[in-house]
């Protein structure tokens, strides 16, 4: 029986060329879908014919309402082993198996550091000025000797901390689960939440989005920051209270923000983050790298092959 396979969330139209999908020909045809997420009825109509759907991280939400409108769906495959946009309980109830992939661990930390460097040295404005025929627009900032504050010292946070140490920064960290002993193991000083925000010259967010972390960086926390400080978020948009951050940036309560993630993605056309002069914003490209996509899609193919053979691997539960 032919299986209909969809690769959705392919916004850049790159998925078909990153890996060789022809190895799935014996299982079924592969369709590549480039549209952004839409309302439930539109998504149901778009995806109703597919038995297998490959999704990219948390770009499209598969809640119970949508899953119930996809009666042919038997397998969901996601990039990464964590995807909070998928209702795993509902999928299990409906008999839909969900599999994941490994992730390339270096893409997000490297993008984080690129944003820190670009924002600190005002690189976008300087590069644009040069293209416009202007020479040297102002003074860049410095990192050596400054304080890098890490909110969430997991694998990505630890890597960013190491970058900061190489650049001669003092590195501090806090999260609700972090202990002084664990911070000390990676050469980082453990501080309280308030101290983290108060002492930061650069504060970088590296938490997993959960109900506990949602809105954790609120107006009070932003109010603790120095007016010369930079906030960097490459984790998830809703960890930062977006309205509070916009207000703080408009009032110059902090120097700026470098953001790769947002409450709504793609970012709405008239959103303030597109126009504020103290915001450096990128379109959630922290994990969008050649090696990461090759890993995601090659293991998605493995997941489909294993599921087709009756021995699914990398199941999300």
């Amino acid at each position: 029986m032919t299986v209909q396979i969809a690769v959705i969330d392919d916004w850049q139209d790159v998925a078909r060329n990153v890996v060789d999908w022809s190895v799935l020909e014996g299982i079924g045809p592969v369709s590549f879908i480039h549209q952004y997420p839409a309302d439930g009825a539109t998504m149901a109509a778009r995806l109703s014919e597919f038995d297998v759907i490959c999704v990219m991280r948390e770009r499209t939400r598969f809640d119970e309402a949508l899953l119930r409108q996809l009666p042919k769906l038997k397998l969901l495959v996601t990039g990464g082993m964590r995807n909070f946009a998928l209702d795993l309980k509902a999928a299990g109830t409906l008999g839909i198996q969900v599999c994941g992939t490994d992730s390339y661990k270096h893409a997000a930390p490297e993008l984080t550091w690129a944003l820190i460097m670009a924002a600190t040295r005002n690189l976008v404005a300087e590069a644009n000025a040069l293209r416009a025929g202007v020479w040297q627009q102002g003074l860049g900032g410095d990192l050596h000797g400054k304080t890098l504050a890490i909110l969430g010292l997991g694998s990505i946070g630890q890597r960013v901390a190491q970058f900061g140490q190489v650049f001669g920064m003092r590195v501090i960290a806090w999260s609700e689960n972090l202990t002084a002993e664990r911070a000390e193991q990676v050469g980082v000083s453990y501080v309280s939440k308030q101290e983290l925000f108060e002492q930061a010259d650069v504060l970088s967010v590296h938490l997993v989005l959960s109900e506990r972390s949602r809105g954790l960086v609120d107006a009070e926390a932003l109010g603790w920051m120095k007016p010369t400080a930079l906030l960097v978020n490459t984790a998830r948009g809703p960890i930062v209270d977006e309205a509070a951050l916009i207000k703080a940036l408009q009032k110059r309560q902090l120097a700026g923000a470098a953001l790769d993630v947002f409450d709504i993605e793609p970012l709405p056309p008239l959103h303030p983050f597109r126009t504020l002069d103290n915001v450096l914003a990128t379109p959630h490209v922290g994990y969008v790298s050649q090696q990461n996509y090759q890993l995601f899609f090659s293991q998605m193919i493995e997941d489909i092959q294993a599921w087709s053979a009756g021995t699914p691997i990398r199941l999300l539960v």
Side-chain angles (χ1 to χ4, degrees):
M1 178 178 174
T2 300
V3 172
Q4 296 293 326
I5 304 166
V7 179
I8 73 168
D9 302 327
D10 184 24
W11 299 349
Q12 304 126 293
D13 193 11
V14 297
R16 72 177 71 245
N17 296 317
V18 172
V19 294
D20 180 9
W21 294 90
S22 68
V23 296
L24 295 178
E25 288 177 355
I27 298 173
V30 181
S31 300
F32 298 91
I33 298 176
H34 314 305
Q35 295 101 318
Y36 296 132
D39 60 90
T42 301
M43 293 301 297
R46 184 183 297 169
L47 303 175
S48 61
E49 68 183 274
F50 295 105
D51 306 280
V52 176
I53 299 176
C54 299
V55 304
M56 180 55 69
R57 298 291 294 268
E58 291 157 3
R59 291 181 179 178
T60 298
R61 179 170 176 76
F62 282 80
D63 55 16
E64 182 175 1
L66 176 57
L67 291 172
R68 288 191 177 278
Q69 296 180 76
L70 303 174
K72 292 187 63 178
L73 182 60
K74 302 177 183 69
L75 176 68
L76 268 173
V77 188
T78 177
M81 288 300 293
R82 182 189 295 121
N83 190 332
F84 293 109
L86 308 182
D87 189 331
L88 297 181
K89 182 178 179 181
T93 299
L94 295 168
I96 301 166
Q97 291 189 319
V98 184
C99 295
T101 73
D102 295 326
S103 296
Y104 178 69
K105 301 300 183 183
H106 302 286
E110 290 174 3
L111 187 278
T112 300
W113 203 254
L115 287 175
I116 291 171
M117 291 293 297
T120 300
R121 296 301 295 267
N122 201 27
L123 292 185
V124 175
E126 293 289 359
N128 288 340
L130 184 144
R131 286 177 176 272
V134 184
W135 192 257
Q136 296 186 356
Q137 290 301 285
L139 292 176
D142 303 284
L143 295 176
H144 185 86
K146 299 292 179 67
T147 296
L148 172 63
I150 307 291
L151 180 59
L153 197 62
S155 60
I156 295 176
Q158 288 182 34
R159 190 68 173 149
V160 173
Q162 291 170 349
F163 293 162
Q165 290 162 344
V166 169
F167 274 74
M169 301 185 76
R170 169 180 174 253
V171 185
I172 60 177
W174 175 86
S175 73
E176 291 182 312
N177 295 328
L178 185 63
T179 64
E181 293 74 20
R182 192 154 63 86
E184 186 178 4
Q185 290 173 0
V186 291
V188 173
S189 298
Y190 173 78
V191 296
S192 69
K193 178 183 176 181
Q194 184 166 345
E195 289 171 333
L196 186 85
F197 283 84
E198 288 177 341
Q199 297 177 26
D201 293 303
V202 177
L203 189 143
S204 194
V205 180
H206 300 291
L207 295 172
V208 173
L209 179 61
S210 66
E211 288 311 308
R212 188 169 64 172
S213 66
R214 187 180 296 273
L216 183 66
V217 182
D218 56 12
E220 180 182 41
L222 293 169
W224 292 331
M225 296 182 74
K226 303 173 186 178
T228 54
L230 171 70
L231 174 73
V232 182
N233 187 8
T234 58
R236 289 293 182 272
I239 295 170
V240 179
D241 182 329
E242 193 170 274
L245 177 58
I246 291 169
K247 185 176 180 179
L249 290 166
Q250 289 171 335
K251 293 187 173 183
R252 307 285 172 171
Q253 292 175 349
L254 66 160
L259 308 170
D260 187 49
V261 290
F262 311 95
D263 281 4
I264 299 173
E265 298 180 3
L267 192 67
L270 300 179
H271 197 285
F273 287 153
R274 290 184 180 268
T275 55
L276 283 167
D277 63 4
N278 52 356
V279 171
L280 171 58
T282 50
H284 202 160
V285 293
Y287 65 93
V288 180
S289 76
Q290 184 76 22
Q291 285 187 254
N292 205 26
Y293 268 39
Q294 287 175 339
L295 180 60
F296 279 169
F297 289 131
S298 64
Q299 290 196 354
M300 285 181 186
I301 289 172
E302 293 174 2
D303 286 338
I304 295 168
Q305 290 172 322
W307 167 81
S308 178
T311 55
I313 56 176
R314 291 187 286 265
L315 284 167
L316 272 66
V317 294

